[in-house]
Amino acid sequence: MTVTAQTPLNRIFADALVKKFVKLNIETAGQVLAHFPFRYQHKGELRAMATLEVGADVTVYGKVISALSRKARSGRAILNVQVTDGTSTIGLTFFGRHVRALSGHQRRLKEGATGFFSGKVSVYRNQLQLTYPSYVLDDDEQLAAFDQETPIPIYHTTAKLKNEQIIEAVKMILGTIDPASYPDLIPPGSHTPFVRFEAIKKLHLPATDSDVEAATEQMRYEEAMLTQTALLQMRAKSRAGKAPKCARHRGGLREKLEQSLPFTLTEGQRNALKQIDKDMGQGVAMSRLVQGDVGSGKTIVALLAMVTAVENSYQAALLAPTEILAEQHYASLRSTLGTLAEGELVGPAGGGVPVFLLTGNMKTARKREVLARLASSEPAIVVGTHALLSEGVQLPYLGLAVVDEQHRFGVEQRDKIRASALTSPHMLVTTATPIPRTLAMTVFGDLDVTTIKELPKGRKPVQTFVVPKQNSVWMERLWQRSREEINKGGRVFVVCPSIESDDEIASVTQTIADLGQNPSLKDIPAASLHGKMSGPKKDAVMESFTAGKVGLLVSTTVIEVGVDVPDATMMVILDADRFGLSQLHQLRGRVGRGNKAAVCMAVTGAQPQSLAGQRLEAFASTTDGFKLSEYDLSLRSSGNVLGAAQSGATSSLKFLDVIKDTDVIEEARSNAKVLIESDPTLAKYPNLAAAIKAQLENMAFLEKN
C-alpha cells in the first residue's frame, strides 16, 4: 500500500498502537513524521538526568549501578534499581506479587547494564524515579542495529508509547510513504543540501551526527522562510488599499490635548508619536507595534494618535482584552481628555471628543444608542472588548484601531477590525510585554516596531523580594508591612492564583477570610475582585479601592494589565511560582504608579534551587522587562512562545529558536523580502504558497499564549 501524509494510522497499524499515538494527538502518517526527535543519544554515552521535570514522560539513557529486591509490609515484592548518568542517579521501581515475579527484571538489570529507560518522572524520598518503566538494553534486538557512531532518536513519549515503538513506526512509514507528499517549499540554496523528504528522513534515521546537523539547519531555515514570507505577504496585504490621511491640525484637538497635559512627554513618547504621525499622514495603512515596559506611557501615545484621527473626522477604536481593562481605559481616557471629552462638536475646528464604551455586559438601551451613533459615522473614540468585533457593530469611518495588549489578540482579530471599515484603517498595537528584537520580527513581522524605553520622570523602581511561605516569621512580617503601607495612605494588592478555596494553592475566598482574622489586618476594610463578578460590582470595588475606602484588595489576575491606582504601594503575590515571568512583571507594574516608593512580595513554597525558584530570583533581581522577557524565553521552547501547542496543532516552530537563531531569522527575512518583491503571489513557488495558506488557516503559529 502506498502511504501519503494524510493516510490515517488505523490503515497502517493495529488499533492498540493507534490508540497510543492518539494520546499524542497523532492520527495520520504525516503527523508521525512531524513528531521529530527532540534529541539524539549514542550507545554508551550518558546524559544528564538532573534536569528532568516531575510529571514529564521521558526516555533516559543510563547505567545500572544497583538492583535490590525486598518485601514490603503489604506482602508485595519491590525491586529498586539505581541508574546513573555519571553525575546523578534516578531510581527505577518495579512491583510484583512476590520476589519471583520480579526475577526477570533483576536478572536483566544487573550492575553495569546500559540502555534506555522510559516512564513518568515522580519523586520518592527526595529522589527522582520512574515507576515500572519500560526499557531497552544495549544488547536487546531493538538496539542491536545501532552502533556507537549512529545517533539514536529520542522522542517525546507517553507512559504507554515506548520510544522504540515510535522508531519502528517511523521506519515503516518512511519505507512506504510517497515522497511527493513532501515537496520542496523554498528556493534551493546554501541552506538546503537535501530535497525536503531526504532531510526529514535524516532527522528520523540519521547515519551520523553530521546528518542531524545538516538536516536540522535546513528545517530551521525552512521554518524561518515560511514564517517570514507569510508575515511579509500579510504586511503587503495590510498596506494595500486606500487609507485615510490623518494629519495634525494647528489649533486642533490634538494640540489642545497636548497643551493640557499635566506632565511632559518623554523623549521615547515623542519619537513614537513622530513615527505614528508620519505613518498616519500617508495614504498607506499604518501597521505599527508600540512596545514599552510597564508604566512607560503607551496609553497617552495611543490617545494622542486617536485624537488625531478624530480631528480629521474619522473614528478611532481601542480594543482591550478584558471588560475591567476596557472600563479602566474608558475612565482614564475621559479623565485625560478633561473638558475635551465633553463637547459634542468634532472635526478640525471642533471642541470635543465623544468617548463611548462598548462591552458585552452593557444595558441594551445604552448599547443600541452607542451602536447607532457609531453607525452614523460620527467622529468619536470607542473603547471596547471583543464586543467590538461582533456582528452588528459598524465603524464605517474607522481611521485608527488601537489593539491593547497584543498577546491577547491575534492576526485574525486584526483583520476583523479592518473589515469593519469602508477604508483600510491605520492599526496601532501596544504591548507592555517587552519583546526581544528577533521575537518581534517573528511574531509581529507584519508590523513596524517602535520601542519606548524610558519611564516618566519621578517613577521609582519597585523593590521586589521573594518570601518563603513556610517561614512563619517572614509571613507575619509580610502582613505587618501591609498594615504599615495602608496606615501611610497606601493601598495593598494581594493576588491569588485561584478564586475558590483550594487545598494546594492560594484562593481569593480563603485568603480574604484568613486576612479577616489576621491580627495585623483584621480591622482593615478589605474587598475581593475576580472575573466571575458582574461588571458593576467590579467597578464599585475598584472605585472603593482607588478612593481609599478599601485598603486591601484580594484579587485574581484580573488586575494584571491596565489597572491604575496611583496610591497602590504594595503588591503581594501568593504562590508566585504559579505565574509566568511576564505575568509577574505585569502584576508588579500595578504598584508604584504614583510618586510613592513601592514594594512587591513574591510568596512561594518553591525551593530556591528549583526552576521555579530560579525564575522568581530572576524576577526579584531586576525591574527591566526586556531582561526578564529574554530570560523567560530562554526557559521555553520557541514553539511554546508562539503558542502553537494549542489544539494539537502541528504548525509550531520545531527547529527555530527565536532568541538564539538571530542570524537565520534575519537572513530569511531578507531573502523572503526579495522573493515577495519579485513574486508577490508566489506564483513560481506554489508549494510554498500552499504551505503558507495552510498555516494562515491555523493562526496558532503567529499567536502567543
Side-chain angles (χ1 to χ4, degrees), residues 146-426:
F146 292 97
D147 57 32
Q148 290 192 330
E149 299 301 316
T150 305
I152 301 171
I154 306 298
Y155 296 88
H156 287 296
T157 61
T158 67
K160 293 185 178 180
L161 182 63
K162 302 174 185 177
N163 194 71
E164 59 268 24
Q165 287 178 302
I166 298 179
I167 292 175
E168 291 305 313
V170 165
K171 284 181 180 177
M172 183 179 291
I173 290 172
L174 284 173
T176 56
I177 198 165
D178 183 0
S181 295
Y182 293 90
D184 292 334
L185 300 182
I186 59 177
S190 59
H191 290 284
T192 52
F194 313 114
V195 295
R196 187 165 180 254
F197 181 70
E198 189 64 23
I200 291 170
K201 216 171 165 182
K202 287 184 181 296
L203 286 167
H204 285 292
L205 300 174
T208 64
D209 288 337
S210 60
D211 279 352
V212 174
E213 291 170 8
T216 300
E217 181 186 349
Q218 176 166 329
M219 298 304 285
R220 182 182 296 124
Y221 181 72
E222 179 183 288
E223 281 187 344
M225 276 293 289
L226 183 64
T227 54
Q228 294 303 322
T229 306
L231 287 163
L232 288 173
Q233 270 197 324
M234 293 168 61
R235 180 187 176 91
K237 178 184 173 185
S238 70
R239 285 158 173 73
K242 186 178 179 183
K245 289 186 178 182
C246 297
R248 293 178 59 183
H249 293 271
R250 181 170 294 181
L253 290 170
R254 164 76 175 270
E255 190 172 298
K256 290 177 183 177
L257 176 57
E258 286 182 341
Q259 291 172 351
S260 71
L261 295 176
F263 52 82
T264 303
L265 295 175
T266 66
E267 184 179 351
Q269 289 172 317
R270 289 195 299 272
N271 288 337
L273 284 165
K274 279 182 186 176
Q275 294 172 341
I276 292 167
D277 288 342
K278 182 179 178 182
D279 289 347
M280 291 180 65
Q282 300 174 0
V284 177
M286 172 179 72
S287 291
R288 184 169 292 280
L289 169 72
V290 174
Q291 64 167 340
D293 215 337
V294 176
S296 59
K298 299 175 295 298
T299 303
I300 188 62
V301 169
L303 175 57
L304 289 165
M306 288 190 286
V307 169
T308 303
V310 171
E311 76 174 5
N312 282 275
S313 300
Y314 287 99
Q315 297 166 320
L318 172 56
L319 191 63
T322 65
E323 223 168 76
I324 191 169
L325 186 52
E327 290 159 359
Q328 284 265 325
H329 274 315
Y330 173 70
S332 174
L333 296 185
R334 287 186 62 85
S335 174
T336 304
L337 284 164
T339 57
L340 292 177
E342 297 171 5
E344 291 296 325
L345 298 173
V346 294
V353 184
V355 183
F356 302 124
L357 177 67
L358 188 64
T359 64
N361 285 334
M362 284 176 62
K363 291 183 178 179
T364 304
R366 177 58 179 164
K367 186 182 288 187
R368 284 176 180 162
E369 180 189 347
V370 171
L371 289 173
R373 291 185 68 174
L374 294 174
S376 72
S377 305
E378 176 182 355
I381 293 174
V382 57
V383 182
T385 56
H386 285 81
L388 280 174
L389 303 178
S390 60
E391 288 185 22
V393 178
Q394 297 179 48
L395 296 165
Y397 280 86
L398 182 63
L400 172 65
V402 179
V403 180
D404 184 28
E405 293 304 320
Q406 165 63 20
H407 63 286
R408 309 294 179 92
F409 294 101
V411 180
E412 196 172 13
Q413 284 87 349
R414 297 210 293 269
D415 283 346
K416 277 188 180 180
I417 299 170
R418 288 189 180 103
S420 69
L422 296 175
T423 58
S424 296
H426 299 291

Side-chain angles (χ1 to χ4, degrees), residues 631-692:
Y631 179 79
D632 192 25
L633 293 170
S634 72
L635 299 177
R636 300 185 285 164
S637 72
S638 298
N640 287 337
V641 169
L642 297 181
Q646 307 164 3
S647 310
T650 57
S651 57
S652 59
L653 297 184
K654 296 180 173 70
F655 302 95
L656 190 68
D657 187 307
V658 294
I659 300 301
K660 297 175 183 175
D661 297 327
T662 305
D663 293 344
V664 176
I665 292 169
E666 290 185 344
E667 182 180 354
R669 189 167 183 84
S670 176
N671 291 341
K673 186 177 180 182
V674 172
L675 195 66
I676 290 296
E677 287 175 351
S678 63
D679 186 5
T681 63
L682 299 176
K684 296 177 184 175
Y685 301 97
N687 295 328
L688 177 59
I692 289 173

